[in-house]
Amino acid sequence: MSTAVPVAPDGTTYDVDLMIIGAGPTGLYATYYSGFRELRVALLDALPEVGGQVAALYPEKALYDVAGFPSVRGQELVEALHAQARSADPLMLLGRTAVGLVENEDGVEVTTDTGEIVRAGAVLVTAGIGSFTPRELPVGSEYLDRGLRYFVPRLAELADQDVLVVGGGDSALDWALGLEEIARSVTLVHRRPQFRAHERSVAQLHDSSVEVLTPYEVAKVSGEDRIEEVVIEARDGESRTLAVQAVVAALGFIADLGPIDGWGLEQDRRHILVDRTMRTNRRRVFAAGDLAHYEGKVKLISIGFGEAALAVNHITALVRPGSALTPGHSSDL
């Protein structure tokens, strides 16, 4: 079983075939598949635990589009992927950020923010949307952690409360629907009548007990020590006062690639461009998952798995010349 390697002194060097940056679902599957192709692999992530955005933000969210699972909670999927990835016996470099990248004829050297150096035949970037910070609610910021929150990693934390969810995207609807059976009441407010969420979620929302108020925006948040009331206002000036103890602001995220942004990788709207082999414009740097982009791209976890396998197969042929591009069927091994 692989566990995270403690931070080593500056200049400590590790040698592997492939370095994977990002330990979300795509990175975990890429780690497993690298082991399947008999590559020595290092897995790095800035977070201290694996799972990426799914584990950090949506561990209790039900996922319905992962092959083999009619429905699976985010944390359950992460745990299964982690168990699968451990079969590759990876070098686990958690709690580190990849800072510098030097590419040469024989491989790459990646320097971490802790001063460690990873020498590899190639790099696979599976960093999702990179680091992310929530878009702030325009009013009521002084109530952060006093009723106002931007994430709901544990739905039970809002049990028996009157909850207001603000937003019209997938996260807002997911949290509103997830809290329906846990909170005392759930109200969802969005500034537009239309939602930017999956059609199935929108249909579930309208069939649920969640009170949907559109088009409204939050105008005022008040309370003594914690949130007690929220005033929402329509464009025509009509206002309503809601008695709530919790506000979940799901207004999206501001993504930041961090140091990777300076690696000279071609981008399109903060997504890394790749070819049909998942290779970037740099010979030994590949990308897969939500961060990777090509014409016709669809962002799904299952797509990320396929991209990871595609990338690892082409990386195997690159770092071990003469290797077959495809390994055959796993059932034949």
Side-chain angles (χ1 to χ4, degrees), residues 45 162 192-193:
D45 199 286
D162 299 300
R192 298 189 183 95

Side-chain angles (χ1 to χ4, degrees), residues 239-264:
S239 65
R240 294 181 59 174
T241 300
L242 308 175
V244 298
Q245 298 82 52
V247 174
V248 180
L251 304 175
F253 303 100
I254 300 172
D256 183 3
L257 296 181
I260 294 175
D261 201 23
W263 287 5

Side-chain angles (χ1 to χ4, degrees), residues 47 50-59 75 132 151-154:
L47 296 175
V50 301
Q53 186 175 346
V54 171
L57 306 183
Y58 314 115
Q75 188 59 40
F132 46 88
F151 312 117
V152 193
R154 300 289 181 269

Side-chain angles (χ1 to χ4, degrees), residues 57-324:
L57 306 183
Y58 314 115
E60 297 192 33
K61 177 181 176 180
L63 307 175
Y64 300 99
D65 55 1
V66 180
F69 294 96
S71 174
V72 59
R73 286 193 313 114
Q75 188 59 40
E76 291 175 359
L77 177 64
V78 166
E79 290 171 358
L81 287 166
H82 190 194
Q84 188 181 38
R86 288 199 298 265
S87 68
D89 192 24
L91 174 69
M92 302 286 285
L93 302 174
L94 302 180
R96 280 92 149 174
T97 299
V99 178
L101 171 70
V102 176
E103 184 177 4
N104 52 51
E105 185 62 29
D106 300 322
V108 297
E109 286 192 0
V110 176
T111 306
T112 71
D113 61 336
T114 54
E116 296 159 295
I117 299 171
V118 180
R119 296 191 300 212
V123 170
L124 174 58
V125 182
T126 57
I129 62 173
S131 62
F132 46 88
T133 54
R135 296 186 184 277
E136 294 187 0
L137 191 68
V139 297
S141 60
E142 67 272 22
Y143 287 96
L144 184 62
D145 296 328
R146 295 192 296 132
L148 172 64
R149 57 169 66 209
Y150 292 97
F151 312 117
V152 193
R154 300 289 181 269
L155 298 177
E157 294 175 359
L158 298 179
D160 300 322
Q161 296 188 44
D162 299 300
V163 181
L164 173 65
V165 179
V166 185
D170 285 309
S171 297
L173 271 66
D174 288 339
W175 280 324
L177 291 168
L179 289 165
E180 182 185 10
E181 300 298 325
I182 295 174
R184 181 164 52 228
S185 69
V186 180
T187 303
L188 186 141
V189 168
H190 184 42
R191 59 178 179 162
R192 298 189 183 95
Q194 298 80 26
F195 295 98
R196 297 172 288 100
H198 193 283
E199 294 176 358
R200 175 173 177 168
S201 297
V202 176
Q204 288 179 323
L205 178 70
H206 289 306
D207 288 338
S208 73
S209 63
V210 175
E211 183 177 12
V212 179
L213 300 177
T214 64
Y216 282 94
E217 294 187 74
V218 175
K220 182 181 179 181
V221 180
S222 60
E224 290 292 333
D225 295 328
R226 297 182 58 84
I227 291 177
E228 297 174 7
E229 288 186 345
V230 172
V231 176
I232 60 173
E233 191 172 277
R235 292 178 182 174
D236 62 6
E238 178 197 356
S239 65
R240 294 181 59 174
T241 300
L242 308 175
V244 298
Q245 298 82 52
V247 174
V248 180
L251 304 175
F253 303 100
I254 300 172
D256 183 3
L257 296 181
I260 294 175
D261 201 23
W263 287 5
L265 303 177
E266 292 183 358
Q267 299 179 32
D268 179 12
R269 288 171 291 185
R270 305 198 65 75
H271 291 80
I272 297 174
L273 295 175
V274 296
D275 62 17
R276 61 184 181 84
T277 71
M278 309 309 298
R279 192 197 305 262
T280 70
N281 58 301
R282 301 191 67 163
R283 180 169 179 261
R284 293 182 179 273
V285 181
F286 294 69
D290 284 355
L291 191 61
H293 182 70
Y294 47 84
E295 186 177 356
K297 167 79 177 224
V298 176
K299 289 186 179 182
L300 292 172
I301 290 177
S302 53
I303 297 293
F305 293 160
E307 293 172 350
L310 181 62
V312 169
N313 280 319
H314 284 278
I315 289 169
T316 302
L318 173 65
V319 303
R320 293 188 176 175
S323 298

